[in-house]
Amino acid sequence: MESGFEHHSRVAVPALRAYVGALTGYAYVGEPPELHRGLPSQYLTIVISLDEPLGVAWPGAPVEKFHTLVGGLHSTAVRIGNSSNTSGIQLALTPEGSRALLGVSPGELGSLVVNLDDVLGRPARELTDELCSQTGWNRRFEIVERLLLQAARTKSSKVAGEAKPELGWAWQRLCQTAGAIGVLELAAEVGWSRRHLTERFRTEYGLPPKVAARVLRFEQAVAKLKRRPRTRLVDLAADVGYADQAHLTREWHSIAGCSPRQWMAEELPFVQDQAAADPAESGP
């Protein structure tokens, strides 16, 4: 059978847009790739398989299989593969969405991948069967959105405590600047010490602000390469604020587990089949 890739994406309904960056449906024709890197980003990730369970492994750890999963914010790529999964739905979830839709702070899911069933319970277990009974992607997206809207009505009041507004401000500033703002400046803006901000930020999001800034700058570099694959790496490094091309390459090895050129050779043809700046391309 000829190999290929089918991709469908749409923006969430208005009531969910503060919580969900995008909904994406994927389907492979033929065999799926042996390896796909789930890159870190500003989003948590939800994946719902429509056939076989998805294989996920952290660096140096064994593969775990999931029919549905939620992955928290993380700073190194996860390996996706070793599985015959060929189709599913992926959602990019904002940290605010973790509290509102899942009933847990994003920090509780930091650098973890867990079964969505363990978080949402029976509705998540019933979701896969309902989705598999549908053939149209728009109808599948509507079913997922219905579940999330129901969760928003029941989960948001169950989160222990509320995120401090200073932390929400700090997160938004990091995202707005793609990680270019320093932690000292960020702490001064919210009126906290650097140490206090770092401790509270790590508890809330699962990553300290300096590491989150690295992830956001890397995410910006990835997005630019997807849009313009012929960009010279030295120009990309300067454009996103790395000291030089060597700095960019070191960060790519640290975060993605390979060089930029290796990532482009192995994965860019796959990503180019998708919408250029789709936030749901990262994760879990």
Side-chain angles (χ1 to χ4, degrees):
M1 180 183 295
E2 183 181 356
S3 63
F5 183 71
E6 182 181 349
H7 170 265
H8 303 268
S9 185
R10 83 173 193 190
V11 176
V13 294
L16 290 172
R17 285 179 193 169
Y19 309 136
V20 179
L23 297 96
T24 301
Y26 66 88
Y28 296 98
V29 178
E31 292 296 320
E34 292 183 7
L35 169 67
H36 169 56
R37 294 175 180 87
L39 300 179
S41 78
Q42 63 185 278
Y43 296 97
L44 293 82
T45 304
I46 292 176
V47 180
I48 304 157
S49 169
L50 296 178
D51 46 46
E52 298 301 317
L54 186 67
V56 178
W58 294 102
V63 173
E64 295 185 73
K65 299 292 183 69
F66 299 88
H67 280 287
T68 63
L69 66 82
V70 54
L73 299 173
H74 52 110
S75 60
T76 55
V78 296
R79 298 172 66 86
I80 302 171
N82 194 24
S83 165
S84 53
N85 170 260
T86 60
S87 64
I89 294 176
Q90 181 171 322
L91 288 79
L93 190 69
T94 67
E96 185 182 359
S98 180
R99 283 182 171 271
L101 306 181
L102 304 182
V104 296
S105 71
E108 294 179 64
L109 296 170
S111 300
L112 293 175
V113 176
V114 301
N115 284 293
L116 185 62
D117 302 2
D118 295 339
V119 181
L120 289 182
R122 183 176 177 181
R125 290 193 293 273
E126 296 173 345
L127 180 63
T128 301
D129 289 341
E130 187 173 3
L131 289 173
C132 290
S133 69
Q134 303 293 327
T135 56
W137 287 105
N138 281 335
R139 177 58 183 149
R140 288 170 174 165
F141 292 152
E142 289 168 1
I143 291 170
V144 173
E145 288 172 335
R146 185 190 68 204
L147 170 70
L148 295 179
L149 289 168
Q150 290 172 347
R153 290 192 290 269
T154 60
K155 288 288 184 181
S156 59
S157 62
K158 297 181 181 180
V159 184
E162 295 293 335
K164 289 282 187 182
E166 293 90 341
L167 293 171
W169 170 265
W171 176 260
Q172 290 303 319
R173 287 285 285 139
L174 282 171
C175 291
Q176 289 165 2
T177 63
I181 185 170
V183 180
L184 276 176
E185 183 180 350
L186 199 58
E189 287 188 3
V190 301
W192 288 353
S193 70
R194 175 173 180 165
R195 180 177 179 180
H196 186 64
L197 173 63
T198 297
E199 291 174 350
R200 296 299 300 272
F201 193 98
R202 186 202 304 268
T203 299
E204 176 61 23
Y205 297 106
L207 299 174
K210 185 174 182 178
V211 175
R214 288 179 61 206
V215 167
L216 291 164
R217 180 164 54 179
F218 172 79
E219 181 184 32
Q220 183 186 41
V222 170
K224 287 178 178 292
L225 267 187
K226 289 176 182 177
R227 287 194 297 268
R228 296 183 178 178
R230 296 184 183 276
T231 301
R232 295 195 313 161
L233 294 182
V234 65
D235 295 332
L236 177 66
D239 192 27
V240 301
Y242 290 109
D244 50 29
Q245 182 176 336
H247 184 197
L248 166 70
T249 300
R250 287 195 303 271
E251 283 290 272
W252 215 282
H253 273 288
S254 176
I255 294 174
C258 64
S259 71
R261 296 190 188 283
Q262 181 181 348
W263 177 81
M264 286 191 287
E266 294 177 353
E267 304 224 18
L268 202 54
F270 158 69
V271 229
Q272 283 178 292
D273 287 337
Q274 307 183 29
D278 184 352
E281 290 170 356
S282 300

PDB file of all heavy atoms in Angstrom, residues 91-117:
ATOM      1  N   LEU A  91      -4.845  17.243  20.755  1.00  0.00           N
ATOM      2  CA  LEU A  91      -5.233  18.573  21.186  1.00  0.00           C
ATOM      3  C   LEU A  91      -4.062  19.266  21.859  1.00  0.00           C
ATOM      4  O   LEU A  91      -3.320  18.634  22.623  1.00  0.00           O
ATOM      5  CB  LEU A  91      -6.392  18.520  22.196  1.00  0.00           C
ATOM      6  CG  LEU A  91      -7.776  18.146  21.696  1.00  0.00           C
ATOM      7  CD1 LEU A  91      -7.897  16.641  21.519  1.00  0.00           C
ATOM      8  CD2 LEU A  91      -8.836  18.628  22.673  1.00  0.00           C
ATOM      9  N   ALA A  92      -3.888  20.549  21.570  1.00  0.00           N
ATOM     10  CA  ALA A  92      -2.907  21.381  22.262  1.00  0.00           C
ATOM     11  C   ALA A  92      -3.648  22.106  23.379  1.00  0.00           C
ATOM     12  O   ALA A  92      -4.544  22.915  23.130  1.00  0.00           O
ATOM     13  CB  ALA A  92      -2.287  22.378  21.291  1.00  0.00           C
ATOM     14  N   LEU A  93      -3.277  21.818  24.608  1.00  0.00           N
ATOM     15  CA  LEU A  93      -3.989  22.307  25.786  1.00  0.00           C
ATOM     16  C   LEU A  93      -3.149  23.361  26.488  1.00  0.00           C
ATOM     17  O   LEU A  93      -1.972  23.128  26.802  1.00  0.00           O
ATOM     18  CB  LEU A  93      -4.275  21.140  26.729  1.00  0.00           C
ATOM     19  CG  LEU A  93      -5.213  21.367  27.916  1.00  0.00           C
ATOM     20  CD1 LEU A  93      -6.637  21.580  27.423  1.00  0.00           C
ATOM     21  CD2 LEU A  93      -5.152  20.183  28.867  1.00  0.00           C
ATOM     22  N   THR A  94      -3.728  24.528  26.770  1.00  0.00           N
ATOM     23  CA  THR A  94      -2.999  25.558  27.489  1.00  0.00           C
ATOM     24  C   THR A  94      -2.894  25.179  28.969  1.00  0.00           C
ATOM     25  O   THR A  94      -3.695  24.390  29.474  1.00  0.00           O
ATOM     26  CB  THR A  94      -3.708  26.916  27.384  1.00  0.00           C
ATOM     27  OG1 THR A  94      -4.962  26.851  28.091  1.00  0.00           O
ATOM     28  CG2 THR A  94      -3.957  27.303  25.931  1.00  0.00           C
ATOM     29  N   PRO A  95      -1.918  25.748  29.692  1.00  0.00           N
ATOM     30  CA  PRO A  95      -1.854  25.491  31.139  1.00  0.00           C
ATOM     31  C   PRO A  95      -3.150  25.863  31.858  1.00  0.00           C
ATOM     32  O   PRO A  95      -3.582  25.158  32.770  1.00  0.00           O
ATOM     33  CB  PRO A  95      -0.675  26.367  31.589  1.00  0.00           C
ATOM     34  CG  PRO A  95       0.211  26.435  30.387  1.00  0.00           C
ATOM     35  CD  PRO A  95      -0.734  26.505  29.218  1.00  0.00           C
ATOM     36  N   GLU A  96      -3.776  26.954  31.437  1.00  0.00           N
ATOM     37  CA  GLU A  96      -5.064  27.322  32.024  1.00  0.00           C
ATOM     38  C   GLU A  96      -6.102  26.236  31.763  1.00  0.00           C
ATOM     39  O   GLU A  96      -6.957  25.939  32.604  1.00  0.00           O
ATOM     40  CB  GLU A  96      -5.531  28.663  31.437  1.00  0.00           C
ATOM     41  CG  GLU A  96      -6.806  29.208  32.054  1.00  0.00           C
ATOM     42  CD  GLU A  96      -7.257  30.508  31.421  1.00  0.00           C
ATOM     43  OE1 GLU A  96      -6.557  31.001  30.511  1.00  0.00           O
ATOM     44  OE2 GLU A  96      -8.311  31.024  31.832  1.00  0.00           O
ATOM     45  N   GLY A  97      -6.012  25.607  30.587  1.00  0.00           N
ATOM     46  CA  GLY A  97      -6.934  24.534  30.251  1.00  0.00           C
ATOM     47  C   GLY A  97      -6.768  23.316  31.130  1.00  0.00           C
ATOM     48  O   GLY A  97      -7.717  22.564  31.358  1.00  0.00           O
ATOM     49  N   SER A  98      -5.548  23.085  31.632  1.00  0.00           N
ATOM     50  CA  SER A  98      -5.333  21.953  32.531  1.00  0.00           C
ATOM     51  C   SER A  98      -6.192  22.091  33.777  1.00  0.00           C
ATOM     52  O   SER A  98      -6.829  21.136  34.226  1.00  0.00           O
ATOM     53  CB  SER A  98      -3.851  21.863  32.909  1.00  0.00           C
ATOM     54  OG  SER A  98      -3.609  20.776  33.769  1.00  0.00           O
ATOM     55  N   ARG A  99      -6.219  23.296  34.332  1.00  0.00           N
ATOM     56  CA  ARG A  99      -7.043  23.526  35.518  1.00  0.00           C
ATOM     57  C   ARG A  99      -8.526  23.475  35.181  1.00  0.00           C
ATOM     58  O   ARG A  99      -9.317  22.832  35.877  1.00  0.00           O
ATOM     59  CB  ARG A  99      -6.705  24.887  36.128  1.00  0.00           C
ATOM     60  CG  ARG A  99      -5.400  24.920  36.926  1.00  0.00           C
ATOM     61  CD  ARG A  99      -5.171  26.294  37.540  1.00  0.00           C
ATOM     62  NE  ARG A  99      -4.042  26.264  38.469  1.00  0.00           N
ATOM     63  CZ  ARG A  99      -4.156  25.969  39.748  1.00  0.00           C
ATOM     64  NH1 ARG A  99      -5.332  25.675  40.258  1.00  0.00           N
ATOM     65  NH2 ARG A  99      -3.088  25.968  40.537  1.00  0.00           N
ATOM     66  N   ALA A 100      -8.913  24.164  34.104  1.00  0.00           N
ATOM     67  CA  ALA A 100     -10.326  24.318  33.788  1.00  0.00           C
ATOM     68  C   ALA A 100     -10.978  23.044  33.266  1.00  0.00           C
ATOM     69  O   ALA A 100     -12.143  22.767  33.562  1.00  0.00           O
ATOM     70  CB  ALA A 100     -10.508  25.444  32.769  1.00  0.00           C
ATOM     71  N   LEU A 101     -10.246  22.254  32.472  1.00  0.00           N
ATOM     72  CA  LEU A 101     -10.835  21.097  31.804  1.00  0.00           C
ATOM     73  C   LEU A 101     -10.495  19.773  32.473  1.00  0.00           C
ATOM     74  O   LEU A 101     -11.301  18.844  32.459  1.00  0.00           O
ATOM     75  CB  LEU A 101     -10.392  21.051  30.339  1.00  0.00           C
ATOM     76  CG  LEU A 101     -10.653  22.314  29.514  1.00  0.00           C
ATOM     77  CD1 LEU A 101     -10.180  22.111  28.084  1.00  0.00           C
ATOM     78  CD2 LEU A 101     -12.122  22.702  29.546  1.00  0.00           C
ATOM     79  N   LEU A 102      -9.286  19.687  33.031  1.00  0.00           N
ATOM     80  CA  LEU A 102      -8.851  18.423  33.630  1.00  0.00           C
ATOM     81  C   LEU A 102      -8.968  18.426  35.155  1.00  0.00           C
ATOM     82  O   LEU A 102      -8.922  17.372  35.779  1.00  0.00           O
ATOM     83  CB  LEU A 102      -7.401  18.119  33.240  1.00  0.00           C
ATOM     84  CG  LEU A 102      -7.102  18.068  31.740  1.00  0.00           C
ATOM     85  CD1 LEU A 102      -5.636  17.709  31.513  1.00  0.00           C
ATOM     86  CD2 LEU A 102      -8.023  17.088  31.024  1.00  0.00           C
ATOM     87  N   GLY A 103      -9.076  19.607  35.745  1.00  0.00           N
ATOM     88  CA  GLY A 103      -9.202  19.681  37.194  1.00  0.00           C
ATOM     89  C   GLY A 103      -7.905  19.508  37.941  1.00  0.00           C
ATOM     90  O   GLY A 103      -7.910  19.223  39.137  1.00  0.00           O
ATOM     91  N   VAL A 104      -6.766  19.657  37.245  1.00  0.00           N
ATOM     92  CA  VAL A 104      -5.457  19.550  37.899  1.00  0.00           C
ATOM     93  C   VAL A 104      -4.601  20.723  37.441  1.00  0.00           C
ATOM     94  O   VAL A 104      -4.759  21.225  36.326  1.00  0.00           O
ATOM     95  CB  VAL A 104      -4.740  18.221  37.584  1.00  0.00           C
ATOM     96  CG1 VAL A 104      -5.527  17.043  38.131  1.00  0.00           C
ATOM     97  CG2 VAL A 104      -4.515  18.058  36.087  1.00  0.00           C
ATOM     98  N   SER A 105      -3.682  21.157  38.283  1.00  0.00           N
ATOM     99  CA  SER A 105      -2.765  22.212  37.867  1.00  0.00           C
ATOM    100  C   SER A 105      -1.781  21.624  36.861  1.00  0.00           C
ATOM    101  O   SER A 105      -1.470  20.433  36.908  1.00  0.00           O
ATOM    102  CB  SER A 105      -2.019  22.777  39.072  1.00  0.00           C
ATOM    103  OG  SER A 105      -1.076  21.829  39.559  1.00  0.00           O
ATOM    104  N   PRO A 106      -1.261  22.437  35.940  1.00  0.00           N
ATOM    105  CA  PRO A 106      -0.298  21.897  34.962  1.00  0.00           C
ATOM    106  C   PRO A 106       0.949  21.340  35.629  1.00  0.00           C
ATOM    107  O   PRO A 106       1.578  20.416  35.097  1.00  0.00           O
ATOM    108  CB  PRO A 106       0.017  23.106  34.071  1.00  0.00           C
ATOM    109  CG  PRO A 106      -0.412  24.301  34.855  1.00  0.00           C
ATOM    110  CD  PRO A 106      -1.554  23.856  35.700  1.00  0.00           C
ATOM    111  N   GLY A 107       1.306  21.864  36.802  1.00  0.00           N
ATOM    112  CA  GLY A 107       2.487  21.355  37.491  1.00  0.00           C
ATOM    113  C   GLY A 107       2.357  19.912  37.917  1.00  0.00           C
ATOM    114  O   GLY A 107       3.354  19.183  37.989  1.00  0.00           O
ATOM    115  N   GLU A 108       1.130  19.459  38.204  1.00  0.00           N
ATOM    116  CA  GLU A 108       0.912  18.065  38.597  1.00  0.00           C
ATOM    117  C   GLU A 108       1.188  17.102  37.452  1.00  0.00           C
ATOM    118  O   GLU A 108       1.419  15.915  37.677  1.00  0.00           O
ATOM    119  CB  GLU A 108      -0.516  17.881  39.105  1.00  0.00           C
ATOM    120  CG  GLU A 108      -0.831  18.619  40.385  1.00  0.00           C
ATOM    121  CD  GLU A 108      -2.265  18.417  40.826  1.00  0.00           C
ATOM    122  OE1 GLU A 108      -2.636  17.265  41.135  1.00  0.00           O
ATOM    123  OE2 GLU A 108      -3.019  19.409  40.844  1.00  0.00           O
ATOM    124  N   LEU A 109       1.146  17.606  36.224  1.00  0.00           N
ATOM    125  CA  LEU A 109       1.393  16.771  35.047  1.00  0.00           C
ATOM    126  C   LEU A 109       2.760  17.042  34.429  1.00  0.00           C
ATOM    127  O   LEU A 109       3.102  16.463  33.400  1.00  0.00           O
ATOM    128  CB  LEU A 109       0.307  17.028  33.992  1.00  0.00           C
ATOM    129  CG  LEU A 109      -1.119  16.645  34.389  1.00  0.00           C
ATOM    130  CD1 LEU A 109      -2.119  17.165  33.366  1.00  0.00           C
ATOM    131  CD2 LEU A 109      -1.250  15.132  34.540  1.00  0.00           C
ATOM    132  N   GLY A 110       3.558  17.894  35.050  1.00  0.00           N
ATOM    133  CA  GLY A 110       4.843  18.281  34.481  1.00  0.00           C
ATOM    134  C   GLY A 110       5.752  17.098  34.207  1.00  0.00           C
ATOM    135  O   GLY A 110       5.972  16.265  35.088  1.00  0.00           O
ATOM    136  N   SER A 111       6.250  17.006  32.963  1.00  0.00           N
ATOM    137  CA  SER A 111       7.163  15.936  32.529  1.00  0.00           C
ATOM    138  C   SER A 111       6.581  14.550  32.771  1.00  0.00           C
ATOM    139  O   SER A 111       7.304  13.604  33.061  1.00  0.00           O
ATOM    140  CB  SER A 111       8.529  16.076  33.229  1.00  0.00           C
ATOM    141  OG  SER A 111       9.123  17.319  32.908  1.00  0.00           O
ATOM    142  N   LEU A 112       5.262  14.428  32.636  1.00  0.00           N
ATOM    143  CA  LEU A 112       4.578  13.139  32.784  1.00  0.00           C
ATOM    144  C   LEU A 112       3.689  12.894  31.573  1.00  0.00           C
ATOM    145  O   LEU A 112       3.222  13.826  30.921  1.00  0.00           O
ATOM    146  CB  LEU A 112       3.701  13.120  34.037  1.00  0.00           C
ATOM    147  CG  LEU A 112       4.377  13.165  35.409  1.00  0.00           C
ATOM    148  CD1 LEU A 112       3.314  13.265  36.503  1.00  0.00           C
ATOM    149  CD2 LEU A 112       5.247  11.933  35.622  1.00  0.00           C
ATOM    150  N   VAL A 113       3.455  11.617  31.281  1.00  0.00           N
ATOM    151  CA  VAL A 113       2.406  11.202  30.350  1.00  0.00           C
ATOM    152  C   VAL A 113       1.549  10.197  31.102  1.00  0.00           C
ATOM    153  O   VAL A 113       2.065   9.200  31.616  1.00  0.00           O
ATOM    154  CB  VAL A 113       2.982  10.555  29.070  1.00  0.00           C
ATOM    155  CG1 VAL A 113       1.851  10.043  28.186  1.00  0.00           C
ATOM    156  CG2 VAL A 113       3.839  11.560  28.302  1.00  0.00           C
ATOM    157  N   VAL A 114       0.239  10.467  31.199  1.00  0.00           N
ATOM    158  CA  VAL A 114      -0.660   9.590  31.951  1.00  0.00           C
ATOM    159  C   VAL A 114      -1.892   9.296  31.107  1.00  0.00           C
ATOM    160  O   VAL A 114      -2.179   9.984  30.124  1.00  0.00           O
ATOM    161  CB  VAL A 114      -1.084  10.230  33.295  1.00  0.00           C
ATOM    162  CG1 VAL A 114       0.130  10.530  34.162  1.00  0.00           C
ATOM    163  CG2 VAL A 114      -1.887  11.512  33.069  1.00  0.00           C
ATOM    164  N   ASN A 115      -2.626   8.278  31.496  1.00  0.00           N
ATOM    165  CA  ASN A 115      -3.872   7.953  30.820  1.00  0.00           C
ATOM    166  C   ASN A 115      -4.896   9.059  31.056  1.00  0.00           C
ATOM    167  O   ASN A 115      -5.108   9.487  32.199  1.00  0.00           O
ATOM    168  CB  ASN A 115      -4.439   6.631  31.349  1.00  0.00           C
ATOM    169  CG  ASN A 115      -3.696   5.434  30.807  1.00  0.00           C
ATOM    170  OD1 ASN A 115      -3.749   5.156  29.611  1.00  0.00           O
ATOM    171  ND2 ASN A 115      -2.995   4.725  31.676  1.00  0.00           N
ATOM    172  N   LEU A 116      -5.527   9.509  29.993  1.00  0.00           N
ATOM    173  CA  LEU A 116      -6.578  10.507  30.140  1.00  0.00           C
ATOM    174  C   LEU A 116      -7.717   9.973  31.005  1.00  0.00           C
ATOM    175  O   LEU A 116      -8.364  10.726  31.734  1.00  0.00           O
ATOM    176  CB  LEU A 116      -7.109  10.915  28.756  1.00  0.00           C
ATOM    177  CG  LEU A 116      -8.131  12.047  28.719  1.00  0.00           C
ATOM    178  CD1 LEU A 116      -7.533  13.345  29.260  1.00  0.00           C
ATOM    179  CD2 LEU A 116      -8.645  12.257  27.299  1.00  0.00           C
ATOM    180  N   ASP A 117      -7.928   8.656  30.943  1.00  0.00           N
ATOM    181  CA  ASP A 117      -8.963   8.034  31.783  1.00  0.00           C
ATOM    182  C   ASP A 117      -8.723   8.315  33.259  1.00  0.00           C
ATOM    183  O   ASP A 117      -9.671   8.496  34.029  1.00  0.00           O
ATOM    184  CB  ASP A 117      -8.969   6.508  31.599  1.00  0.00           C
ATOM    185  CG  ASP A 117      -9.209   6.089  30.166  1.00  0.00           C
ATOM    186  OD1 ASP A 117      -9.325   6.977  29.300  1.00  0.00           O
ATOM    187  OD2 ASP A 117      -9.287   4.880  29.908  1.00  0.00           O
TER     188      ASP A 117
END
